[in-house]
Amino acid sequence: MGEPGHPDGCSRVVGHGAVLTRGAPGRYARAMFPDRRAARLLLGVLAVVAAVHLLTQLIGSSGLADATQVLLMPLLAGVLWWQAPAPRGRLVSLTLVALGFSWLGDTAPKLADGDPAFLLMVGFFLLAQIAYIVAFLPYRRRSVLHVNRPWLAAYVAVVAALVAACVGGAADMLVPVLVYGACLGTMAVLSTGLNPFAAAGGAIFLVSDGLIALDAFVPGFGLPAQGFWVMATYVGAQVLLVAGVLRERTDADASPMTTDAARAR
């Protein structure tokens, strides 16, 4: 599905079935580097903190890993906040809400142990996924729900396979696992409606949470450096989702909007 063309007759990027405009690759590359000073500074700090955190995951320094983990989402939210000045609109505001719930999902479980800690994590990340779903819903007509539909079957197959693998070991956690899996898959599908950045972020988020579920519920599953891979994919996914949101905001400011995009803002 396309959108109205630019005045020069080129098509703009739209969702997972995107057609790149002339010069679009350069614009997409620049989307990862904010042009506002405060946002650039926070992105640099985020890169350093993320690198330290991933290193601590590899060397097993749990205290430093915990301390750096709780800084990740506030720093990323700061990048989004400063790079997208007011009026921020619906998409940016809901993404900030999702990052806030993600921070709670990173932080609250450290205050509990065992099943309560796991449920706190799942609960807050479920709220984060719902916030992302509501944020991305206006772009659904540009997603794999309507464009390049064979990709939809791939998303469904991945979520179904993940749930099937975890059902046997989920026991009392089965209902939360099913609900969270459905919301995670929905978020990943809807993220394809924004642009390739957001689509990649949604897919990688699915991988990251899939690794957590397999480790928790599948006996014998043991990925070397599990914590490193979970956090590397998690941080990468969130950064790509934010980049996708910023790219969509920039594109919407620079070109005519569909009704869906106008409502989203």
Side-chain angles (χ1 to χ4, degrees):
M1 171 177 278
E3 281 195 341
H6 287 292
D8 63 4
C10 294
S11 297
R12 62 165 294 201
V13 175
V14 284
H16 204 75
V19 177
L20 292 177
T21 65
R22 189 165 58 238
R27 293 205 317 274
Y28 267 68
R30 290 193 296 272
M32 294 300 290
F33 301 99
D35 58 9
R36 294 178 179 271
R37 181 177 299 177
R40 288 201 305 269
L41 175 61
L42 288 170
L43 183 61
V45 176
L46 173 63
V48 172
V49 172
V52 171
H53 177 75
L54 293 176
L55 179 61
T56 62
Q57 290 288 347
L58 288 174
I59 66 177
S61 177
S62 59
L64 187 54
D66 287 347
T68 51
Q69 183 175 352
V70 301
L71 298 176
L72 294 170
M73 291 305 104
L75 287 169
L76 183 56
V79 172
L80 179 57
W81 177 271
W82 287 107
Q83 183 61 18
R88 292 182 176 84
R90 184 176 185 275
L91 177 61
V92 171
S93 297
L94 285 168
T95 300
L96 288 168
V97 171
L99 293 173
F101 282 128
S102 297
W103 175 75
L104 289 171
D106 288 336
T107 306
K110 301 182 190 307
L111 306 177
D113 295 305
D115 286 350
F118 188 81
L119 286 172
L120 279 172
M121 180 185 71
V122 170
F124 282 122
F125 275 106
L126 175 62
L127 293 174
Q129 300 303 340
I130 291 172
Y132 274 132
I133 288 169
V134 177
F136 300 158
L137 191 61
Y139 303 89
R140 61 192 177 277
R141 295 187 184 280
R142 287 164 28 181
S143 75
V144 295
L145 289 171
H146 296 274
V147 182
N148 288 342
R149 283 187 172 176
W151 281 102
L152 178 60
Y155 280 95
V156 172
V158 169
V159 173
L162 184 60
V163 169
C166 296
V167 163
D172 294 341
M173 298 284 190
L174 180 58
V175 172
V177 167
L178 291 175
V179 172
Y180 186 79
C183 288
L184 177 63
T186 300
M187 181 280 296
V189 165
L190 290 174
S191 71
T192 65
L194 273 73
N195 49 57
F197 281 141
I204 295 172
F205 215 137
L206 189 56
V207 172
S208 181
D209 281 358
L211 291 176
I212 294 174
L214 291 171
D215 184 65
F217 301 122
V218 178
F221 180 84
L223 179 67
Q226 164 82 5
F228 171 85
W229 292 113
V230 166
M231 290 305 300
T233 50
Y234 168 63
V235 175
Q238 295 276 31
V239 168
L240 284 166
L241 286 171
V242 167
V245 168
L246 289 171
R247 181 71 267 164
E248 176 59 33
R249 178 185 168 98
T250 301
D251 282 349
D253 286 342
S255 61
M257 290 183 290
T258 62
T259 301
D260 284 347
R263 288 173 181 165
R265 300 193 66 211

